[in-house]
Coordinates of all heavy atoms in Angstrom, one line a residue:
V209 N 78.7 -150.9 -129.5 CA 77.8 -150.7 -128.3 C 78.6 -150.9 -127.0 O 79.3 -151.9 -126.9 CB 76.6 -151.6 -128.4 CG1 75.8 -151.5 -127.1 CG2 75.8 -151.4 -129.6
S210 N 78.5 -150.0 -126.1 CA 79.2 -150.1 -124.8 C 78.5 -151.1 -124.0 O 77.4 -151.6 -124.3 CB 79.1 -148.7 -124.1 OG 77.8 -148.4 -123.7
L211 N 79.1 -151.5 -122.9 CA 78.5 -152.5 -122.0 C 77.2 -152.0 -121.4 O 76.2 -152.7 -121.3 CB 79.5 -152.9 -120.9 CG 80.7 -153.8 -121.3 CD1 81.6 -154.1 -120.1 CD2 80.2 -155.1 -121.9
D212 N 77.2 -150.7 -121.0 CA 76.0 -150.1 -120.5 C 74.9 -150.0 -121.5 O 73.7 -150.3 -121.2 CB 76.3 -148.7 -120.0 CG 77.1 -148.7 -118.7 OD1 77.1 -149.7 -118.0 OD2 77.8 -147.6 -118.5
G213 N 75.3 -149.8 -122.8 CA 74.3 -149.8 -123.9 C 73.7 -151.2 -124.1 O 72.5 -151.3 -124.4
F214 N 74.6 -152.2 -124.1 CA 74.2 -153.5 -124.2 C 73.2 -154.0 -123.1 O 72.2 -154.6 -123.4 CB 75.4 -154.5 -124.3 CG 75.0 -155.9 -124.6 CD1 74.4 -156.3 -125.7 CD2 75.4 -156.9 -123.6 CE1 74.1 -157.6 -125.9 CE2 75.0 -158.2 -123.8 CZ 74.4 -158.6 -125.0
L215 N 73.5 -153.6 -121.9 CA 72.7 -153.9 -120.8 C 71.3 -153.2 -120.9 O 70.3 -153.8 -120.7 CB 73.3 -153.4 -119.5 CG 72.6 -153.7 -118.2 CD1 72.3 -155.2 -118.0 CD2 73.3 -153.1 -117.0
A216 N 71.3 -152.0 -121.4 CA 70.0 -151.3 -121.7 C 69.2 -152.0 -122.7 O 68.0 -152.1 -122.6 CB 70.3 -149.8 -122.1
Q217 N 69.9 -152.5 -123.8 CA 69.2 -153.3 -124.8 C 68.6 -154.5 -124.2 O 67.5 -154.9 -124.5 CB 70.1 -153.6 -126.0 CG 70.5 -152.5 -126.8 CD 71.5 -152.9 -127.9 OE1 72.0 -154.0 -128.0 NE2 72.0 -151.9 -128.7
L218 N 69.4 -155.2 -123.4 CA 68.9 -156.5 -122.8 C 67.6 -156.2 -121.9 O 66.7 -157.0 -122.0 CB 70.0 -157.1 -121.9 CG 71.2 -157.8 -122.6 CD1 72.2 -158.2 -121.5 CD2 70.7 -158.9 -123.4
N219 N 67.7 -155.2 -121.1 CA 66.6 -154.9 -120.3 C 65.3 -154.4 -121.0 O 64.2 -154.7 -120.7 CB 67.0 -153.9 -119.2 CG 67.7 -154.6 -118.1 OD1 67.3 -155.7 -117.6 ND2 68.8 -154.1 -117.7
A220 N 65.5 -153.7 -122.1 CA 64.4 -153.2 -123.0 C 63.7 -154.5 -123.6 O 62.5 -154.6 -123.6 CB 64.9 -152.3 -124.1
K221 N 64.5 -155.4 -124.1 CA 64.0 -156.6 -124.7 C 63.3 -157.5 -123.6 O 62.3 -158.1 -123.8 CB 65.0 -157.4 -125.4 CG 65.5 -156.8 -126.7 CD 64.4 -157.1 -127.7 CE 65.0 -156.8 -129.1 NZ 64.0 -157.1 -130.2
G222 N 64.0 -157.6 -122.4 CA 63.5 -158.3 -121.3 C 62.1 -157.8 -120.8 O 61.2 -158.6 -120.5
A223 N 61.9 -156.5 -120.8 CA 60.7 -155.9 -120.4 C 59.5 -156.3 -121.4 O 58.4 -156.3 -121.0 CB 60.8 -154.4 -120.3
Q224 N 59.9 -156.7 -122.6 CA 58.9 -157.1 -123.6 C 58.7 -158.6 -123.5 O 57.9 -159.2 -124.4 CB 59.4 -156.7 -125.0 CG 59.5 -155.2 -125.2 CD 60.2 -154.9 -126.5 OE1 60.7 -155.8 -127.2 NE2 60.3 -153.6 -126.8
G225 N 59.3 -159.3 -122.6 CA 59.1 -160.7 -122.5 C 60.1 -161.6 -123.3 O 59.9 -162.8 -123.4
N226 N 61.2 -161.0 -123.8 CA 62.2 -161.7 -124.5 C 63.4 -162.0 -123.7 O 64.0 -161.1 -123.1 CB 62.6 -160.8 -125.8 CG 61.5 -160.6 -126.7 OD1 60.9 -161.6 -127.2 ND2 61.1 -159.4 -126.9
R227 N 63.8 -163.3 -123.7 CA 64.9 -163.7 -122.9 C 66.1 -163.8 -123.8 O 66.0 -164.4 -124.9 CB 64.6 -165.1 -122.3 CG 65.8 -165.6 -121.5 CD 65.4 -166.9 -120.8 NE 65.3 -168.0 -121.7 CZ 66.3 -168.8 -122.1 NH1 67.5 -168.6 -121.6 NH2 66.1 -169.8 -122.9
Y228 N 67.2 -163.3 -123.4 CA 68.5 -163.3 -124.2 C 69.0 -164.7 -124.2 O 69.2 -165.4 -123.2 CB 69.5 -162.3 -123.5 CG 70.8 -162.3 -124.3 CD1 70.9 -161.7 -125.5 CD2 71.9 -162.9 -123.7 CE1 72.1 -161.6 -126.2 CE2 73.2 -162.8 -124.3 CZ 73.3 -162.2 -125.6 OH 74.5 -162.2 -126.2
V229 N 69.3 -165.2 -125.4 CA 69.8 -166.6 -125.6 C 71.3 -166.5 -125.8 O 72.1 -167.3 -125.2 CB 69.1 -167.3 -126.7 CG1 69.8 -168.6 -127.0 CG2 67.6 -167.4 -126.4
G230 N 71.8 -165.6 -126.6 CA 73.2 -165.5 -126.9 C 73.4 -164.7 -128.2 O 72.5 -164.0 -128.6
Q231 N 74.6 -164.9 -128.7 CA 75.0 -164.2 -130.0 C 75.4 -165.2 -131.0 O 75.9 -166.3 -130.7 CB 76.1 -163.2 -129.8 CG 75.7 -162.0 -128.9 CD 76.8 -161.0 -128.8 OE1 78.0 -161.3 -129.0 NE2 76.5 -159.8 -128.5
V232 N 75.0 -164.9 -132.2 CA 75.4 -165.7 -133.4 C 76.5 -164.9 -134.2 O 76.2 -163.8 -134.5 CB 74.2 -166.1 -134.3 CG1 74.7 -166.9 -135.5 CG2 73.2 -166.8 -133.5
H233 N 77.6 -165.5 -134.4 CA 78.7 -164.9 -135.2 C 78.7 -165.5 -136.5 O 78.8 -166.7 -136.7 CB 80.0 -165.1 -134.5 CG 80.1 -164.6 -133.1 ND1 80.6 -163.4 -132.8 CD2 79.6 -165.1 -131.9 CE1 80.5 -163.1 -131.5 NE2 79.9 -164.1 -131.0
F234 N 78.5 -164.7 -137.5 CA 78.6 -165.2 -138.9 C 80.0 -165.0 -139.5 O 80.8 -164.3 -139.0 CB 77.5 -164.4 -139.8 CG 76.1 -164.7 -139.3 CD1 75.5 -163.8 -138.5 CD2 75.4 -165.8 -139.7 CE1 74.2 -164.0 -138.0 CE2 74.1 -166.0 -139.3 CZ 73.5 -165.1 -138.5
A235 N 80.2 -165.7 -140.6 CA 81.5 -165.6 -141.2 C 82.0 -164.2 -141.5 O 81.1 -163.3 -141.6 CB 81.5 -166.4 -142.5
P236 N 83.3 -163.9 -141.5 CA 83.7 -162.5 -141.7 C 83.2 -161.9 -143.0 O 83.1 -162.6 -144.0 CB 85.2 -162.7 -141.8 CG 85.6 -164.0 -141.4 CD 84.3 -164.9 -141.4
L237 N 82.9 -160.7 -143.0 CA 82.6 -159.9 -144.2 C 83.8 -159.7 -145.0 O 85.0 -159.8 -144.5 CB 81.9 -158.6 -143.8 CG 80.6 -158.7 -142.9 CD1 80.2 -157.4 -142.4 CD2 79.5 -159.4 -143.7
P238 N 83.7 -159.3 -146.2 CA 84.9 -159.0 -147.1 C 85.9 -158.1 -146.5 O 87.1 -158.2 -146.7 CB 84.3 -158.5 -148.4 CG 82.9 -159.0 -148.4 CD 82.5 -159.1 -147.0
D239 N 85.4 -157.1 -145.7 CA 86.4 -156.2 -145.1 C 87.0 -156.7 -143.8 O 87.7 -156.0 -143.1 CB 85.8 -154.8 -144.9 CG 84.6 -154.8 -143.9 OD1 84.3 -155.9 -143.3 OD2 84.0 -153.8 -143.7
G240 N 86.7 -157.9 -143.4 CA 87.3 -158.5 -142.2 C 86.4 -158.4 -140.9 O 86.7 -159.1 -139.9
R241 N 85.4 -157.6 -141.0 CA 84.5 -157.5 -139.8 C 83.6 -158.7 -139.7 O 83.3 -159.4 -140.7 CB 83.7 -156.2 -139.9 CG 84.4 -155.0 -139.8 CD 83.5 -153.7 -139.9 NE 82.9 -153.8 -141.2 CZ 81.5 -153.6 -141.4 NH1 80.8 -153.3 -140.4 NH2 81.0 -153.6 -142.6
F242 N 83.1 -159.0 -138.5 CA 82.2 -160.1 -138.3 C 80.8 -159.5 -138.1 O 80.6 -158.4 -137.6 CB 82.6 -160.9 -137.0 CG 83.7 -161.9 -137.2 CD1 85.0 -161.4 -137.1 CD2 83.5 -163.2 -137.6 CE1 86.0 -162.3 -137.3 CE2 84.5 -164.1 -137.8 CZ 85.8 -163.6 -137.6
N243 N 79.8 -160.3 -138.6 CA 78.4 -159.9 -138.4 C 77.9 -160.6 -137.2 O 77.9 -161.9 -137.1 CB 77.6 -160.3 -139.7 CG 76.2 -159.9 -139.6 OD1 75.8 -159.3 -138.6 ND2 75.4 -160.2 -140.6
I244 N 77.6 -159.9 -136.1 CA 77.2 -160.5 -134.9 C 75.7 -160.1 -134.6 O 75.4 -158.9 -134.6 CB 78.1 -160.0 -133.7 CG1 79.5 -160.4 -134.0 CG2 77.6 -160.6 -132.4 CD1 80.5 -159.8 -133.0
Q245 N 74.9 -161.1 -134.4 CA 73.5 -160.8 -134.1 C 73.1 -161.4 -132.7 O 73.5 -162.5 -132.4 CB 72.6 -161.5 -135.1 CG 72.8 -161.0 -136.5 CD 72.3 -159.6 -136.7 OE1 71.3 -159.2 -136.2 NE2 73.1 -158.8 -137.5
S246 N 72.4 -160.6 -131.9 CA 71.9 -161.1 -130.6 C 70.6 -161.9 -130.9 O 69.8 -161.6 -131.8 CB 71.5 -159.9 -129.7 OG 72.7 -159.2 -129.4
V247 N 70.5 -163.0 -130.1 CA 69.4 -163.9 -130.3 C 68.5 -163.9 -129.1 O 69.0 -164.0 -127.9 CB 69.9 -165.3 -130.6 CG1 68.7 -166.3 -130.7 CG2 70.8 -165.4 -131.8
Y248 N 67.2 -163.7 -129.2 CA 66.3 -163.7 -128.1 C 65.2 -164.7 -128.4 O 64.9 -165.1 -129.6 CB 65.6 -162.3 -128.0 CG 66.5 -161.2 -127.7 CD1 67.2 -160.5 -128.7 CD2 66.8 -160.9 -126.4 CE1 68.1 -159.5 -128.4 CE2 67.7 -159.8 -126.0 CZ 68.3 -159.1 -127.1 OH 69.2 -158.1 -126.7
E249 N 64.6 -165.2 -127.4 CA 63.4 -166.0 -127.5 C 62.3 -165.4 -126.7 O 62.5 -164.9 -125.6 CB 63.6 -167.5 -127.1 CG 63.9 -167.7 -125.7 CD 64.2 -169.2 -125.4 OE1 64.4 -170.0 -126.3 OE2 64.3 -169.5 -124.2
N250 N 61.0 -165.5 -127.2 CA 59.9 -164.9 -126.5 C 59.4 -165.9 -125.4 O 59.3 -167.0 -125.6 CB 58.8 -164.6 -127.4 CG 57.7 -163.7 -126.8 OD1 56.9 -164.3 -126.0 ND2 57.7 -162.5 -127.0
A251 N 59.2 -165.3 -124.2 CA 58.8 -166.2 -123.1 C 57.4 -166.0 -122.7 O 57.0 -166.2 -121.6 CB 59.7 -165.8 -121.9
G252 N 56.6 -165.5 -123.7 CA 55.2 -165.3 -123.4 C 54.9 -164.1 -122.7 O 55.4 -163.0 -123.1
N253 N 54.3 -164.1 -121.5 CA 53.9 -162.9 -120.8 C 54.9 -162.6 -119.7 O 54.6 -161.7 -118.9 CB 52.5 -163.0 -120.3 CG 52.3 -164.2 -119.4 OD1 53.2 -164.9 -119.1 ND2 51.1 -164.4 -118.9
G254 N 56.0 -163.3 -119.6 CA 57.0 -163.1 -118.6 C 57.8 -161.8 -118.9 O 57.8 -161.3 -120.0
A255 N 58.6 -161.4 -117.9 CA 59.5 -160.3 -118.2 C 60.9 -160.7 -117.6 O 60.9 -161.5 -116.6 CB 59.0 -159.0 -117.5
F256 N 61.9 -160.2 -118.1 CA 63.3 -160.5 -117.7 C 64.1 -159.3 -117.4 O 63.9 -158.2 -118.0 CB 64.0 -161.3 -118.8 CG 63.4 -162.7 -119.0 CD1 62.4 -162.8 -120.0 CD2 63.8 -163.8 -118.3 CE1 61.9 -164.1 -120.2 CE2 63.2 -165.0 -118.5 CZ 62.2 -165.2 -119.5
Q257 N 64.9 -159.3 -116.4 CA 65.8 -158.2 -116.0 C 67.2 -158.7 -116.0 O 67.5 -159.8 -115.5 CB 65.4 -157.6 -114.7 CG 66.2 -156.4 -114.3 CD 65.7 -155.9 -113.0 OE1 64.7 -156.3 -112.4 NE2 66.5 -154.9 -112.5
Y258 N 68.2 -157.9 -116.4 CA 69.6 -158.3 -116.5 C 70.4 -157.3 -115.7 O 70.1 -156.2 -115.6 CB 70.0 -158.4 -117.9 CG 69.3 -159.4 -118.7 CD1 68.1 -159.0 -119.4 CD2 69.7 -160.7 -118.8 CE1 67.4 -160.0 -120.1 CE2 69.0 -161.6 -119.5 CZ 67.8 -161.3 -120.2 OH 67.1 -162.2 -120.9
E259 N 71.5 -157.8 -115.1 CA 72.4 -157.0 -114.3 C 73.8 -157.4 -114.8 O 74.1 -158.5 -115.2 CB 72.3 -157.3 -112.8 CG 71.0 -156.8 -112.2 CD 71.0 -157.0 -110.7 OE1 72.0 -157.6 -110.1 OE2 70.1 -156.5 -110.1
M260 N 74.7 -156.5 -114.7 CA 76.2 -156.7 -114.9 C 76.8 -156.8 -113.5 O 76.7 -155.8 -112.8 CB 76.8 -155.7 -115.8 CG 76.8 -156.1 -117.2 SD 77.8 -155.0 -118.2 CE 76.6 -154.6 -119.4
L261 N 77.5 -157.8 -113.3 CA 78.2 -158.0 -112.0 C 79.7 -158.0 -112.2 O 80.2 -158.4 -113.3 CB 77.8 -159.3 -111.4 CG 76.3 -159.5 -111.1 CD1 76.1 -160.9 -110.6 CD2 75.9 -158.5 -110.1
P262 N 80.5 -157.6 -111.2 CA 81.9 -157.6 -111.4 C 82.4 -159.1 -111.5 O 81.7 -160.0 -110.9 CB 82.5 -157.0 -110.1 CG 81.3 -157.1 -109.1 CD 80.1 -157.1 -109.9
R263 N 83.5 -159.3 -112.1 CA 84.0 -160.7 -112.3 C 84.4 -161.2 -110.9 O 85.2 -160.5 -110.2 CB 85.1 -160.7 -113.3 CG 85.6 -162.0 -113.6 CD 86.8 -162.0 -114.6 NE 87.2 -163.3 -114.9 CZ 87.6 -163.7 -116.1 NH1 87.5 -162.9 -117.1 NH2 87.9 -164.9 -116.3
A264 N 84.0 -162.4 -110.6 CA 84.4 -163.0 -109.3 C 85.8 -163.6 -109.5 O 86.2 -164.2 -110.5 CB 83.5 -164.2 -109.0
G265 N 86.7 -163.4 -108.5 CA 88.1 -163.7 -108.6 C 88.3 -165.2 -108.5 O 89.1 -165.8 -109.2
K266 N 87.7 -165.9 -107.5 CA 88.0 -167.3 -107.2 C 86.7 -168.1 -107.3 O 85.6 -167.5 -107.3 CB 88.5 -167.4 -105.8 CG 89.8 -166.7 -105.6 CD 90.3 -166.9 -104.2 CE 91.6 -166.1 -104.0 NZ 92.1 -166.1 -102.6
D267 N 86.8 -169.4 -107.4 CA 85.6 -170.2 -107.5 C 84.6 -170.0 -106.4 O 83.4 -169.9 -106.6 CB 86.0 -171.7 -107.5 CG 86.7 -172.1 -108.8 OD1 86.7 -171.3 -109.8 OD2 87.3 -173.2 -108.8
A268 N 85.2 -169.9 -105.2 CA 84.3 -169.6 -104.0 C 83.6 -168.3 -104.1 O 82.4 -168.2 -103.7 CB 85.1 -169.7 -102.7
D269 N 84.2 -167.3 -104.7 CA 83.6 -166.0 -104.9 C 82.5 -166.1 -105.9 O 81.4 -165.5 -105.7 CB 84.6 -164.9 -105.3 CG 85.7 -164.7 -104.3 OD1 85.5 -164.9 -103.1 OD2 86.8 -164.3 -104.7
F270 N 82.7 -166.8 -106.9 CA 81.7 -167.0 -108.0 C 80.5 -167.8 -107.4 O 79.4 -167.4 -107.7 CB 82.3 -167.8 -109.2 CG 81.4 -168.0 -110.3 CD1 80.8 -166.9 -110.9 CD2 81.0 -169.3 -110.7 CE1 79.9 -167.1 -112.0 CE2 80.2 -169.5 -111.8 CZ 79.6 -168.4 -112.4
I271 N 80.7 -168.8 -106.6 CA 79.6 -169.5 -106.0 C 78.8 -168.6 -105.1 O 77.6 -168.6 -105.1 CB 80.1 -170.8 -105.3 CG1 80.6 -171.8 -106.3 CG2 79.0 -171.4 -104.4 CD1 81.4 -173.0 -105.8
A272 N 79.5 -167.8 -104.3 CA 78.8 -166.8 -103.4 C 78.0 -165.8 -104.2 O 76.9 -165.5 -103.8 CB 79.9 -166.1 -102.5
Q273 N 78.6 -165.4 -105.3 CA 77.9 -164.4 -106.2 C 76.6 -165.1 -106.8 O 75.5 -164.5 -106.8 CB 78.8 -164.0 -107.3 CG 78.3 -162.8 -108.1 CD 79.4 -162.4 -109.1 OE1 79.8 -163.2 -109.9 NE2 79.9 -161.1 -109.0
L274 N 76.7 -166.4 -107.2 CA 75.6 -167.1 -107.8 C 74.5 -167.3 -106.7 O 73.3 -167.1 -107.0 CB 76.0 -168.5 -108.3 CG 76.8 -168.5 -109.5 CD1 77.3 -169.9 -109.8 CD2 76.0 -168.0 -110.7
N275 N 74.9 -167.6 -105.5 CA 73.9 -167.8 -104.4 C 73.2 -166.5 -104.0 O 72.0 -166.5 -103.8 CB 74.6 -168.5 -103.2 CG 74.9 -169.9 -103.4 OD1 74.2 -170.6 -104.1 ND2 75.9 -170.4 -102.8
A276 N 74.0 -165.4 -104.0 CA 73.3 -164.1 -103.7 C 72.3 -163.7 -104.8 O 71.2 -163.3 -104.4 CB 74.4 -163.0 -103.6
Q277 N 72.7 -163.9 -106.0 CA 71.7 -163.6 -107.1 C 70.5 -164.6 -107.1 O 69.4 -164.2 -107.3 CB 72.4 -163.7 -108.5 CG 73.4 -162.5 -108.7 CD 72.8 -161.2 -108.6 OE1 72.9 -160.5 -107.6 NE2 72.1 -160.8 -109.6
G278 N 70.8 -165.8 -106.8 CA 69.7 -166.8 -106.7 C 68.7 -166.4 -105.6 O 67.5 -166.6 -105.8
A279 N 69.2 -165.9 -104.5 CA 68.3 -165.5 -103.4 C 67.5 -164.3 -103.8 O 66.4 -164.1 -103.2 CB 69.2 -165.1 -102.2
R280 N 67.9 -163.6 -104.8 CA 67.1 -162.4 -105.3 C 66.2 -162.8 -106.4 O 65.5 -162.0 -107.0 CB 68.0 -161.3 -105.8 CG 68.9 -160.7 -104.7 CD 69.8 -159.6 -105.2 NE 69.1 -158.6 -106.0 CZ 69.5 -158.0 -107.0 NH1 70.7 -158.2 -107.5 NH2 68.8 -157.1 -107.6
G281 N 66.2 -164.1 -106.8 CA 65.3 -164.6 -107.8 C 65.9 -164.7 -109.2 O 65.2 -165.1 -110.2
Y282 N 67.2 -164.5 -109.3 CA 67.9 -164.6 -110.6 C 68.3 -166.0 -110.8 O 68.4 -166.8 -109.9 CB 69.1 -163.7 -110.6 CG 68.8 -162.2 -110.9 CD1 68.5 -161.4 -109.8 CD2 68.9 -161.7 -112.2 CE1 68.2 -160.1 -110.0 CE2 68.6 -160.4 -112.4 CZ 68.3 -159.6 -111.3 OH 68.0 -158.3 -111.5
R283 N 68.4 -166.4 -112.1 CA 68.8 -167.8 -112.4 C 70.0 -167.7 -113.4 O 70.1 -166.9 -114.3 CB 67.7 -168.5 -113.1 CG 68.0 -169.9 -113.5 CD 66.8 -170.5 -114.2 NE 66.5 -169.8 -115.5 CZ 65.9 -170.4 -116.5 NH1 65.5 -171.6 -116.4 NH2 65.8 -169.8 -117.6
F284 N 71.0 -168.6 -113.1 CA 72.2 -168.6 -114.0 C 71.8 -169.5 -115.2 O 71.3 -170.6 -115.0 CB 73.4 -169.2 -113.2 CG 74.6 -169.4 -114.1 CD1 75.3 -168.2 -114.4 CD2 75.0 -170.6 -114.5 CE1 76.5 -168.4 -115.2 CE2 76.2 -170.7 -115.2 CZ 76.9 -169.6 -115.6
N285 N 72.1 -169.0 -116.4 CA 71.8 -169.8 -117.6 C 73.1 -169.7 -118.5 O 73.4 -168.6 -118.9 CB 70.6 -169.2 -118.3 CG 70.2 -170.0 -119.4 OD1 70.6 -171.2 -119.5 ND2 69.4 -169.4 -120.3
F286 N 73.6 -170.8 -118.7 CA 74.8 -170.9 -119.6 C 74.4 -171.7 -120.8 O 73.9 -172.8 -120.7 CB 76.0 -171.5 -118.9 CG 77.2 -171.7 -119.8 CD1 78.0 -170.6 -120.2 CD2 77.4 -172.9 -120.4 CE1 79.1 -170.8 -121.0 CE2 78.5 -173.1 -121.2 CZ 79.3 -172.0 -121.5
R287 N 74.7 -171.2 -122.0 CA 74.5 -171.9 -123.2 C 75.7 -171.8 -124.1 O 76.2 -170.7 -124.3 CB 73.3 -171.3 -124.0 CG 72.0 -171.6 -123.4 CD 70.9 -171.4 -124.4 NE 69.6 -171.6 -123.7 CZ 68.5 -171.8 -124.3 NH1 68.5 -171.8 -125.6 NH2 67.4 -172.0 -123.7
A288 N 76.2 -172.9 -124.6 CA 77.3 -172.9 -125.5 C 76.8 -173.3 -126.9 O 76.1 -174.3 -127.0 CB 78.4 -173.9 -125.0
F289 N 77.2 -172.6 -127.9 CA 76.8 -172.9 -129.2 C 78.0 -173.5 -130.0 O 79.1 -173.2 -129.8 CB 76.3 -171.7 -130.0 CG 75.1 -171.1 -129.4 CD1 75.1 -170.1 -128.4 CD2 73.8 -171.6 -129.8 CE1 73.9 -169.6 -127.9 CE2 72.7 -171.1 -129.3 CZ 72.7 -170.1 -128.4

């Protein structure tokens, strides 16, 4: 799936009230490929929207990007598994 396709999937799920949590990577299959599943949680009657932003070059650029998105109502969410 391309990045644009993945973004479309995120927004389709988000419109249904599902928040993207992350991906689960399972052990390699016999042919060496990995089984990767996207994980969502239902947020009730809320809706979520996702955007892809260019990578910020420096820490200050990243903080400015976070603040700009926060002013628009977006929230940064990092989860490590």
Side-chain angles (χ1 to χ4, degrees):
V209 174
S210 69
L211 289 177
D212 289 335
F214 182 61
L215 181 61
Q217 288 176 0
L218 288 175
N219 282 313
K221 288 285 196 178
Q224 297 170 355
N226 296 302
R227 182 173 70 89
Y228 179 71
V229 175
Q231 292 184 337
V232 177
H233 301 262
F234 296 97
L237 299 170
D239 64 1
R241 294 178 300 133
F242 281 86
N243 185 359
I244 302 171
Q245 299 291 322
S246 294
V247 179
Y248 297 89
E249 66 182 9
N250 190 284
N253 59 2
F256 295 90
Q257 182 178 352
Y258 299 89
E259 292 183 355
M260 266 189 232
L261 302 175
R263 184 179 182 142
K266 299 178 182 176
D267 291 348
D269 297 332
F270 181 59
I271 291 169
Q273 194 176 59
L274 288 174
N275 286 329
Q277 290 301 102
R280 294 181 55 215
Y282 282 84
R283 180 178 68 152
F284 179 73
N285 186 18
F286 175 78
R287 290 198 182 196
F289 293 94

